[in-house]
Amino acid sequence: MTTTLETKACEACATAKRRCGKEMPHCLRCRRRGSKCSYPPAKPTCFVLCRDDRSPVEHNIFPFSTLQSSAYSPGLQTREVDSSRLSLGLDLPGQSSDLSNNRPYSIWFTSPETWQIDHLLQIEYNPFTIIGLKRLLIKIHRWLTEWAEKGSNPFIHSQLYRTRFPPSVQDAYTTLSCYLHKTASNEQTIFQILEDRAKHLVVEYSTPSADILEDNVNSTSITLDSLEHIARVQALLIYQVLCLYNGDIRLRYIAESHIPVLNLWMQQMVEHASHAVCSSGSITSPAHEQTAAGYHPSNILHCENLWHSWILSESIRRTWLIASGIQGAYLVMQQHRTIPCQGGMVITTRQGVWEAQSARAWEKLCSEVNIGLMQVAETDKLFSEAAPEDVDDFTMLILQATFGEERLERWGIQVQD
């Protein structure tokens, strides 16, 4: 029989003159934007397709969507899951959710769209106030204290450095611990340690001078993997938080000179992660795959590796957002004016996903509920499609920074000092 094989872009993408993925029944762009997606009638061709040649593609489609228009499934109800398959919440045509097959199993959180930095945030938010910015900075400082005392916080996962703890972030952890316990009598000693560690970190990674950074984005004298990239960014981020805001003039002066350095490292971190996925299909390094303690090649190993790949991917994006926010907030307070937004990235917003204590617990949650993977610019949907208790602490900070305290209070969140 004669069939229709030629598929045009959907009407919404065609009107917006944007590239359409042509996914069925609705394209990815429309699902993410919550737009109505419909396709024009396909042009018939003279190609004849025999009935026996049809491929049952429908059986290889993820049944649930995390990049759809709705932040969470209606009513947040739990869905019944086929135990023989792992549904990771993304309806990608032709992608099997079986972890034991040869397809890239991390596609839903390492696809090209998840590494895009949205520099054109089309959102309306309440104007920044100095008091509001200070509240956000206090919360981030509390998160650093939480990491020093408990080993994790909303942007540094407890499992991130489980198998390998790079020296750069080890030094930052030690320095942070000293700083948090400083006294009036040893304060200058702590400040000297902080200054030396920050300078040593920058020199160690052979960062070029600030005035040539923009002309040499890819410059680096050493080869780093994704874990080492995020380690040096988190290390310098910690030093920046401590030096920019503690009131010491010398430390502030040094930290100001490191603002373009951190911006460069952030860019390189995201670019490396994106390229690593494209070249090898996985963001985790071979060293990590070999040191997953105590696991043998099996479904358990696949699940464990998938979890750690998600942890690294999500940590990179959360770290990028915190670092850009920390330095942006400082420039706003310093210059007493708004500055261009550095953009937004995709984050996981569902409460409990970041906090999962094991690969199996994480896998179970991802297969049963919509985990709310979305761009920062789309998080306003949470106000109407989710309850405050369904959103994790990191997303709550993003909402507060993006839409203001008044909007959170109307949602039922009491902003604390």
Side-chain angles (χ1 to χ4, degrees):
M1 65 178 178
T2 303
T3 187
T4 57
L5 296 180
E6 182 179 347
T7 303
K8 297 182 179 180
C10 74
E11 294 177 353
C13 291
T15 301
K17 296 183 179 180
R18 299 294 295 273
R19 181 178 179 181
C20 180
K22 303 180 182 179
E23 295 87 359
M24 293 294 183
H26 307 295
C27 76
L28 179 61
R29 179 175 178 271
C30 286
R31 290 200 305 272
R32 292 181 58 187
R33 298 173 62 87
S35 303
K36 180 181 179 181
C37 185
S38 59
Y39 290 90
K43 179 180 179 181
T45 73
C46 60
F47 180 77
V48 178
L49 180 66
C50 297
R51 181 178 300 273
D52 294 340
D53 291 335
R54 291 183 178 179
S55 174
V57 177
E58 293 178 351
H59 298 293
N60 289 327
I61 300 177
F62 283 120
F64 311 133
S65 169
T66 56
L67 288 178
Q68 60 190 5
S69 61
S70 176
Y72 299 111
S73 54
L76 302 175
Q77 66 267 37
T78 299
R79 309 172 192 254
E80 184 177 354
V81 181
D82 183 355
S83 60
S84 66
R85 299 169 65 96
L86 173 63
S87 170
L88 293 176
L90 186 66
D91 48 348
L92 295 175
Q95 294 293 336
S96 170
S97 58
D98 186 353
L99 292 184
S100 63
N101 63 19
N102 293 324
R103 296 182 185 274
Y105 53 74
S106 57
I107 184 67
W108 66 276
F109 57 81
T110 57
S111 60
E113 295 86 356
T114 65
W115 298 112
Q116 293 177 358
I117 299 174
D118 186 359
H119 294 286
L120 300 175
L121 294 179
Q122 302 296 324
I123 55 178
E124 296 181 1
Y125 54 84
N126 291 339
F128 285 121
T129 65
I130 298 299
I131 294 178
L133 287 175
K134 287 183 177 179
R135 287 200 183 103
L136 292 171
L137 294 170
I138 290 173
K139 181 175 292 186
I140 293 175
H141 194 277
R142 288 173 181 167
W143 285 356
L144 293 183
T145 303
E146 186 177 335
W147 179 56
E149 295 179 349
K150 300 179 180 179
S152 66
N153 67 26
F155 69 94
I156 305 179
H157 199 278
S158 61
Q159 298 290 315
L160 180 60
Y161 300 117
R162 180 176 67 92
T163 59
R164 185 154 52 101
F165 199 10
S168 59
V169 78
Q170 285 190 39
D171 287 346
Y173 181 88
T174 303
T175 304
L176 173 63
S177 299
C178 291
Y179 180 88
L180 294 176
H181 293 88
K182 73 179 187 302
T183 64
S185 58
N186 69 1
E187 182 179 69
Q188 292 305 313
T189 300
I190 300 299
F191 286 172
Q192 185 63 54
I193 293 173
L194 180 55
E195 177 183 340
D196 290 346
R197 289 297 87 200
K199 287 182 176 179
H200 176 76
L201 177 67
V202 173
V203 171
E204 181 182 12
Y205 286 96
S206 303
T207 304
S209 58
D211 58 346
I212 65 173
L213 288 177
E214 295 183 358
D215 297 326
N216 196 16
V217 171
N218 295 317
S219 61
T220 180
S221 61
I222 56 179
T223 301
L224 305 175
D225 61 26
S226 293
L227 188 67
E228 292 165 333
H229 268 285
I230 190 175
R232 71 169 182 175
V233 169
Q234 288 183 344
L236 187 54
L237 168 60
I238 291 167
Y239 298 143
Q240 291 294 87
V241 173
L242 301 183
C243 293
L244 286 175
Y245 298 102
N246 78 348
D248 184 83
I249 296 177
R250 177 170 177 79
L251 290 180
R252 185 181 301 170
Y253 171 77
I254 294 171
E256 287 177 348
S257 69
H258 291 164
I259 288 178
V261 176
L262 183 54
N263 286 336
L264 172 66
W265 288 4
M266 291 159 52
Q267 181 177 351
Q268 290 177 339
M269 173 182 67
V270 173
E271 288 179 350
H272 179 275
S274 178
H275 294 159
V277 173
C278 292
S279 61
S280 65
S282 175
I283 190 174
T284 53
S285 64
H288 177 272
E289 304 291 341
Q290 297 169 4
T291 54
Y295 292 102
H296 303 286
S298 64
N299 286 338
I300 295 179
L301 177 59
H302 282 294
C303 179
E304 192 77 15
N305 287 340
L306 181 59
W307 183 42
H308 283 278
S309 182
W310 174 82
I311 288 172
L312 181 54
S313 301
E314 183 74 12
S315 298
I316 287 173
R317 291 188 278 262
R318 291 188 177 206
T319 298
W320 187 94
L321 288 168
I322 291 294
S324 61
I326 282 292
Q327 301 202 135
Y330 176 78
L331 294 176
V332 168
M333 291 190 290
Q334 179 196 55
Q335 301 174 15
H336 292 282
R337 63 180 180 86
T338 58
I339 61 172
C341 177
Q342 293 196 41
M345 294 196 74
V346 167
I347 58 172
T348 303
T349 61
R350 177 68 186 236
Q351 173 68 32
V353 183
W354 179 266
E355 296 79 10
Q357 296 299 306
S358 68
R360 284 301 183 189
W362 175 84
E363 174 194 58
K364 184 176 185 294
L365 185 61
C366 289
S367 64
E368 292 180 349
V369 300
N370 189 318
I371 64 170
L373 188 68
M374 62 181 64
Q375 267 280 358
V376 167
E378 299 174 336
T379 53
D380 61 324
K381 297 177 181 177
L382 296 172
F383 293 126
S384 59
E385 300 179 6
E389 59 268 21
D390 298 318
V391 175
D392 66 15
D393 289 343
F394 186 87
T395 306
M396 200 66 72
L397 180 136
I398 293 297
L399 291 173
Q400 181 178 347
T402 306
F403 301 102
E405 298 175 356
E406 182 181 348
R407 184 66 186 85
L408 259 66
E409 291 175 351
R410 294 203 308 269
W411 194 36
I413 297 296
Q414 183 62 43
V415 179
Q416 300 178 352
D417 293 332

